[in-house]
Structures are given as structure tokens and as C-alpha cells.
Amino acid sequence: HDVTRMVHLADVLARGLQIGDPGDDTIPMLSQSAMKRLGLNWKTLRRVLKDVDDQLPAGHDLVRVAIGHDACVSA
């Protein structure tokens, strides 16, 4: 199912970007078949990750403002 593939991709990316607390230090291998079935390739993924990396600090700031204190850990 595409939802399962998207959750897998999101889990791998969040762990790789150290977003959240997954409860362990592992980063699973990204499923090539999941990427293919979702229409992704490494070129696209690198571009998306660059955008995420550029925007992550602003996202952390937005969450800090929304909750009223520094509960987020900077990337």
C-alpha cells in the first residue's frame, strides 16, 4: 500500500534528519521498491532533502512560538 510506503519513507527521513525521538538510534535502509512505487528517485530525494534542510530551522522556530517555549531541539 502507498500509505505504508509513505510511512516507511517518512520514518527513514525523520530518523536521518534527527527529527523526533524514535526510541532508538537505528536508521532502516530506505526501500528502493517503495521509492520506485511512490515515483521517487535519488535526484528528487536529494532536492527535497536540501529544501527540508534549508527550512528546518524556521520550522523549529515556528513550533517554539506556537508552544511558547524552547521545547524543540535545534537540528
Side-chain angles (χ1 to χ4, degrees):
H1 293 89
D2 283 347
V3 172
T4 303
R5 291 179 189 100
M6 287 186 271
V7 169
H8 164 71
L9 179 62
D11 179 49
V12 172
L13 295 177
R15 287 170 179 260
L17 294 167
Q18 299 178 338
I19 299 171
D21 182 8
D24 58 44
D25 294 343
T26 62
I27 301 175
M29 293 295 293
L30 186 57
S31 166
Q32 298 300 307
S33 65
M35 282 183 54
K36 184 176 180 180
R37 295 289 301 252
L38 292 170
L40 297 172
N41 58 48
W42 285 107
K43 182 179 179 181
T44 302
L45 192 56
R46 277 194 279 288
R47 187 174 63 241
V48 168
L49 287 173
K50 170 79 170 92
D51 291 345
V52 168
D53 195 43
D54 290 346
Q55 296 175 23
L56 199 54
H60 282 269
D61 291 344
L62 181 63
V63 171
R64 283 187 194 103
V65 169
I67 62 175
H69 58 81
D70 288 338
C72 295
V73 177
S74 296

